[in-house]
Amino acid sequence: MAYSFLVKAFKHTALVMRHKHKVLIGCFKCGIPLRGFLHDLSKFSPAEFIESVRYFQGNRSPIGVCRREKGYSSAWLHHKGRNPHHLEYWSDSECPIQPPMPYKYAVECICDKISATKTYAGKSYHTGMPLEHWNRYHPKTPCNEKNLEFITRVFEDLKEHGEKYILNRKYMKALYSEIFGA
């Protein structure tokens, strides 16, 4: 049992580091390098790490696996409350109007979703996958309509034009300003 946990801990750490590296590259391209360095550091806290290792499978998020088994994930509750690049950080189910995400977190959110899709999909990744995943799961998240519009437009442009078109500061700033009026 201990051996299995150690093997899974090593594999989980390697997967998280591959994901963080992809996010870092995206954040650099978009002009927010500090967000790339700080991305997902809470995944190494005991509250997130232990549960994630326990439910690690390598081809999907351990949070989803845990949710299916237990009905909730304490790692996710910890993670979303400490990482402002997640829409759930900015939402309150009691409040119908959610605050918009500041630019740096909205762009980090994009880089995170693209990187997570790439990390789990591996060689089968294509630029339409983030939009497919987004359209499948985002309706469940209460959030500001402009946040939804921004992320959806980026993923539509990613599918149509590719990463070079969207993963840059000029594109992100222009679209964010157009949608949020900032």
Side-chain angles (χ1 to χ4, degrees), residues 59-61 67-68 87-88 113 116-118 120-121 124-126 128-142 148 151-152 155-156 159:
N59 61 349
R60 63 172 56 104
S61 169
R67 279 180 173 161
R68 282 186 283 286
L87 288 168
E88 294 84 355
K113 292 182 183 313
T117 306
K118 281 181 171 182
Y120 287 119
S124 66
Y125 173 82
H126 59 81
M129 289 178 97
L131 180 61
E132 292 166 10
H133 185 268
W134 174 248
N135 285 336
R136 189 169 37 246
Y137 294 106
H138 90 268
K140 299 175 185 175
T141 305
L148 295 178
I151 295 168
T152 302
F155 289 156
E156 289 170 348
K159 180 179 180 180

Side-chain angles (χ1 to χ4, degrees), residues 12 21 28 30 44 105 116 120 122 129 158 165-166 171 176 180:
H12 172 67
H21 183 253
F28 262 88
C30 294
F44 299 105
Y105 301 126
Y120 287 119
M129 289 178 97
L158 171 65
Y165 183 81
I166 65 132
Y171 166 87
Y176 188 87
F180 290 91

Side-chain angles (χ1 to χ4, degrees), residues 5 22 27 36 69 76 82-84 87 100 119 122 144 161:
F5 186 85
K22 288 173 175 55
C27 287
E69 183 178 306
W76 172 243
R82 285 154 184 81
N83 292 282
L87 288 168
T119 300
N144 184 290
H161 303 289

Side-chain angles (χ1 to χ4, degrees), residues 41-162:
L41 290 177
S42 70
K43 285 190 176 184
F44 299 105
S45 68
E48 293 180 36
F49 188 80
I50 294 168
E51 181 178 287
S52 294
V53 169
R54 186 172 293 131
Y55 289 94
F56 177 81
Q57 293 185 355
N59 61 349
R60 63 172 56 104
S61 169
I63 286 169
V65 176
C66 179
R67 279 180 173 161
R68 282 186 283 286
E69 183 178 306
K70 294 179 12 182
Y72 72 97
S73 166
S74 56
W76 172 243
L77 295 173
H78 185 271
H79 187 74
K80 72 175 183 160
R82 285 154 184 81
N83 292 282
H85 66 274
H86 286 286
L87 288 168
E88 294 84 355
Y89 179 93
W90 300 95
S91 65
D92 179 350
S93 60
E94 302 290 321
C95 181
I97 301 172
Q98 311 299 333
M101 291 174 85
Y103 173 79
K104 64 184 177 182
Y105 301 126
V107 173
E108 183 184 359
C109 177
I110 298 290
C111 294
D112 179 44
K113 292 182 183 313
I114 292 169
S115 300
T117 306
K118 281 181 171 182
T119 300
Y120 287 119
K123 292 180 182 178
S124 66
Y125 173 82
H126 59 81
T127 57
M129 289 178 97
L131 180 61
E132 292 166 10
H133 185 268
W134 174 248
N135 285 336
R136 189 169 37 246
Y137 294 106
H138 90 268
K140 299 175 185 175
T141 305
C143 67
N144 184 290
E145 288 299 318
K146 290 184 178 187
N147 292 341
L148 295 178
E149 182 182 353
F150 177 70
I151 295 168
T152 302
R153 290 262 309 269
V154 170
F155 289 156
E156 289 170 348
D157 286 348
L158 171 65
K159 180 179 180 180
E160 185 174 336
H161 303 289

